[in-house]
């Protein structure tokens, strides 16, 4: 039997109400903060991610789905949403618009990871990006949007973790200090960290290996190496968070797994958990690395699967998807055209109808109507049509009455619309 590829999964109808709830909440919150929707293609040139996410990251080094198409182009299934949005910003001259440009999106993302709880090869993100402005108030805005989103979903107990990893001015001083600190421990590091020591020292700090974590706890802290501008930026942000009663903790080991970040980085975790629901930060050099003019930006993305998992484990109820409450039954083939026409008319008028396709007994069709959670069953027969009426059965009280066909629409609108 052919199955969905490892690390991917189908989202069947019973689960869709959770997805709808998360998407609706994200759309509402984005519009409250004046973010506009954007969609970018599923495939991008591989070099978009090599230049932005970074050659030395796990995502680019080990996890990208890259292939050559029939025209010889090297393409990648997008592993994240920020670089494509920045590419679109550049390609469509969005810098001509009033800045910052605020955008949000829903996107699938593909990473060839070892599937485990909360980690899939295909996952989905809700993300937002504010491009064209370096002010720390915008970092605070994006953090506020993220927190409001989780709060509105009903996920109230979350931990907000922040850090600043500096800029190209001050980062080299910090990475030298990290290398100097780690060098004497080289032999005790895991194989990945031995490589990170050469290629990407910041990532030494978020290694999951317990021996490496011990070293990270006492490692030099980026906040102690910030230049004056980065320090002012970080202080400005933490002052706003404090003034707006936003609880946060500073974690000097928070560096994020993508290379484009500068200054602010942050993550939101379910209380007490290390598995991030979402994360983001500032990326002031990303657009330049794509060949554009210096253009700062800041953003955030959350994993929709992980968010739904928290909603479900916390027992948070979500609204059911709208479903038709009217079932149309008829037994006799001779009325099928009339029944089809009636169903069409009702739908055109905005009344949803579940059309019975079974020509079995009325009893069996009523069972079907109940199984579909309908509230009313309309029963159409030859004799009723001749008299210009339809039988309407209330499936909750089991009472039924005859209604003139011409008054049916009004009656249904009153009851179910
Ligand atoms: P990220 O932290 O790599 O950031 O991914 C964002 C979120 O997507 C994670 O916090 C997690 O909830 C979810 N996620 C990531 N990988 C997986 C996976 N394999 N399976 C399930 N869920 C996953 C970004 O992608 C950045 N683009 C965020 C950003 C936006 N930074 C600035 N703007």
């Amino acid at each position: 039997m052919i199955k969905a590829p490892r690390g991917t999964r189908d989202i069947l109808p019973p689960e869709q109400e959770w997805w709808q709830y998360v998407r609706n909440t994200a759309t509402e919150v984005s519009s409250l903060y004046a973010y506009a929707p954007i969609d970018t293609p599923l495939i991008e040139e591989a070099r978009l991610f090599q230049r932005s996410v970074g050659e030395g990251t796990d995502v680019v080094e080990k996890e990208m789905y890259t292939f050559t198409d029939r025209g010889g182009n090297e393409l990648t299934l997008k592993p994240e949403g920020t670089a494509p949005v920045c590419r679109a910003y550049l390609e469509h001259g969005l810098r001509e618009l009033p800045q910052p440009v605020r955008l949000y999106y829903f996107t699938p993302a593909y990473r060839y990871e070892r599937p485990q709880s909360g980690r899939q090869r295909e996952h989905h993100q809700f993300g937002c990006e504010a491009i064209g402005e370096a002010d720390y108030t915008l970092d605070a805005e994006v953090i506020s949007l993220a927190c409001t989103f989780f709060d509105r979903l009903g996920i109230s107990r979350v931990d907000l973790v922040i850090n600043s990893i500096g800029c190209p001015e001050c980062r080299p001083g910090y990475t030298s200090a990290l290398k100097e600190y780690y060098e004497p421990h080289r032999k005790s590091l895991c194989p990945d960290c031995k490589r990170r020591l050469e290629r990407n020292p910041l990532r030494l700090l978020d290694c999951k290996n317990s021996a490496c974590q011990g070293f990270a706890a006492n490692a030099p802290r980026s906040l102690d190496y910030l230049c004056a501008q980065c320090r002012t930026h970080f202080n400005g942000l933490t002052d706003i968070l404090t003034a707006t009663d936003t609880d946060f903790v500073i974690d000097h080991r928070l560096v994020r797994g993508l290379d484009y970040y500068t200054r602010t980085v942050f993550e939101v975790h379910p209380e007490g958990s290390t598995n991030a629901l979402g994360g983001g930060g500032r990326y002031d050099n990303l657009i330049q690395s794509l060949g554009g003019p210096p253009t700062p930006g800041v953003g955030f993305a959350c994993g929709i699967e992980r968010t739904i998992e928290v909603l479900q484990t916390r027992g948070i109820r979500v609204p059911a998807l709208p479903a038709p409450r009217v079932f149309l039954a008829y037994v006799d083939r001779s009325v099928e055209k009339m029944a089809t026409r009636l169903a069409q008319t009702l739908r055109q008028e905005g009344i949803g109808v579940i059309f019975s396709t079974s020509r079995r007994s009325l009893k069996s069709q009523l069972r079907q109507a109940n199984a579909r959670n309908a509230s009313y069953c309309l029963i159409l027969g030859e004799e009723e049509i001749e008299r210009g009426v339809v039988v309407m059965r209330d499936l909750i009280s089991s009472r039924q009455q005859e209604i003139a066909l011409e008054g049916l629409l009004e009656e249904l609108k009153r009851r179910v619309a």
Side-chain angles (χ1 to χ4, degrees):
M1 194 181 29
I2 300 176
K3 292 189 173 168
R6 189 164 137 77
T8 71
R9 59 192 200 79
D10 303 307
I11 305 158
L12 297 175
E15 224 195 316
Q16 291 288 347
E17 58 193 36
W18 301 90
W19 287 77
Q20 188 94 297
Y21 176 63
V22 171
R23 280 199 205 103
N24 287 349
T25 308
T27 305
E28 264 167 43
V29 172
S30 300
S31 97
L32 280 178
Y33 283 76
Y35 285 64
I38 183 168
D39 289 306
T40 62
L42 195 60
I43 44 174
E44 293 277 358
E45 284 192 46
R47 61 195 174 122
L48 172 65
F49 303 107
Q50 288 155 357
R51 286 191 195 168
S52 56
V53 171
E55 298 275 13
T57 56
D58 286 352
V59 170
V60 170
E61 218 170 51
K62 310 184 203 160
E63 296 171 1
M64 289 212 304
Y65 282 87
T66 298
F67 61 97
T68 307
D69 74 4
R70 289 165 199 269
N73 308 297
E74 204 188 30
L75 300 176
T76 296
L77 296 184
K78 60 178 154 176
E80 61 101 50
T82 307
V85 168
C86 290
R87 195 255 320 124
Y89 174 95
L90 257 184
E91 185 172 337
H92 302 288
L94 301 190
R95 63 191 309 254
E96 304 307 325
L97 301 175
Q99 305 292 296
V101 174
R102 295 174 164 98
L103 301 164
Y104 78 91
Y105 51 86
F106 300 101
T107 185
Y110 298 86
R111 300 181 187 178
Y112 190 82
E113 300 195 81
R114 200 166 58 78
Q116 52 191 290
S117 160
R119 199 169 290 284
Q120 296 167 253
R121 291 185 175 166
E122 180 189 63
H123 72 278
H124 296 77
Q125 297 188 355
F126 154 55
C128 64
E129 314 291 347
I131 307 177
E133 173 63 63
D135 199 79
Y136 55 78
T137 53
L138 210 53
D139 306 45
E141 176 179 290
V142 166
I143 291 176
S144 166
L145 189 160
C147 294
T148 304
F149 166 65
F150 291 119
D151 194 53
R152 284 216 168 195
L153 284 175
I155 303 179
S156 48
R157 286 168 287 118
V158 293
D159 295 329
L160 168 64
V161 187
I162 66 169
N163 193 17
S164 174
I165 53 171
C167 68
E169 291 290 303
C170 51
R171 176 97 50 84
Y174 177 53
T175 44
S176 314
L178 270 182
K179 278 185 172 176
E180 213 168 288
Y181 166 81
Y182 272 98
E183 198 54 58
H185 307 297
R186 180 187 280 274
K187 281 208 180 93
S188 320
L189 295 175
C190 74
D192 275 345
C193 279
K194 286 195 178 104
R195 268 186 312 121
R196 289 177 181 139
L197 191 50
E198 304 306 327
R199 298 193 60 178
N200 205 343
L202 276 191
R203 294 303 311 281
L204 288 160
L205 295 171
D206 69 354
C207 181
K208 301 287 174 276
N209 182 294
S210 58
C212 302
Q213 279 185 350
F215 296 123
N218 301 314
R221 298 165 178 235
S222 56
L223 291 184
D224 296 331
Y225 292 80
L226 295 184
C227 60
Q229 289 92 326
C230 287
R231 162 64 50 197
T232 308
H233 194 275
F234 189 67
N235 289 346
L237 171 63
T238 53
D239 283 351
I240 291 199
L241 293 178
T242 309
T244 51
D245 298 325
T246 309
D247 291 333
F248 64 92
V249 289
I250 296 174
D251 182 350
H252 77 278
R253 286 170 302 183
L254 179 66
V255 289
R256 309 273 299 134
L258 314 164
D259 274 358
Y260 50 61
Y261 291 111
T262 49
R263 295 188 170 168
T264 312
V265 285
F266 69 95
E267 279 183 359
V268 179
H269 299 237
E271 198 176 57
S273 155
T274 51
N275 227 357
L277 275 172
R282 184 159 274 291
Y283 44 85
D284 291 347
N285 300 316
L286 200 170
I287 291 192
Q288 221 172 342
S289 73
L290 302 179
T295 314
V298 59
F300 158 83
C302 83
I304 298 183
E305 286 85 352
R306 288 190 195 178
T307 304
I308 290 175
E309 203 188 313
V310 172
L311 287 172
Q312 291 176 339
T313 51
R314 291 195 184 180
I316 294 168
R317 291 193 168 275
V318 302
L321 292 182
R325 293 173 57 202
V326 177
F327 190 95
L328 180 52
Y330 64 98
V331 185
D332 209 329
R333 278 254 175 238
S334 62
V335 301
E336 71 185 2
K337 292 194 184 67
M338 178 67 187
T340 310
R341 225 176 10 243
L342 178 61
Q344 265 172 10
T345 310
L346 293 177
R347 289 172 185 142
Q348 271 159 10
E349 294 294 331
I351 307 274
V353 177
I354 311 164
F355 195 71
S356 171
T357 49
S358 150
R359 291 294 69 77
R360 279 176 289 162
S361 69
L362 188 57
K363 203 167 157 198
S364 119
Q365 291 187 64
L366 283 173
R367 259 202 308 273
Q368 243 187 65
N370 274 314
R372 300 277 189 140
N373 285 328
S375 307
Y376 298 98
C377 183
L378 300 178
I379 305 161
L380 209 57
E382 226 169 324
E383 189 241 343
E384 281 83 11
I385 289 175
E386 266 165 30
R387 290 196 290 118
V389 298
V390 61
V391 173
M392 177 154 73
R393 185 179 173 90
D394 181 326
L395 292 169
I396 294 157
S397 67
S398 297
R399 277 200 215 107
Q400 59 184 51
Q401 65 184 114
E402 274 187 5
I403 295 183
L405 271 169
E406 56 201 31
L408 178 65
L409 186 61
E410 284 315 304
E411 185 64 29
L412 286 176
K413 277 192 176 162
R414 204 170 58 73
R415 292 180 188 238
V416 300

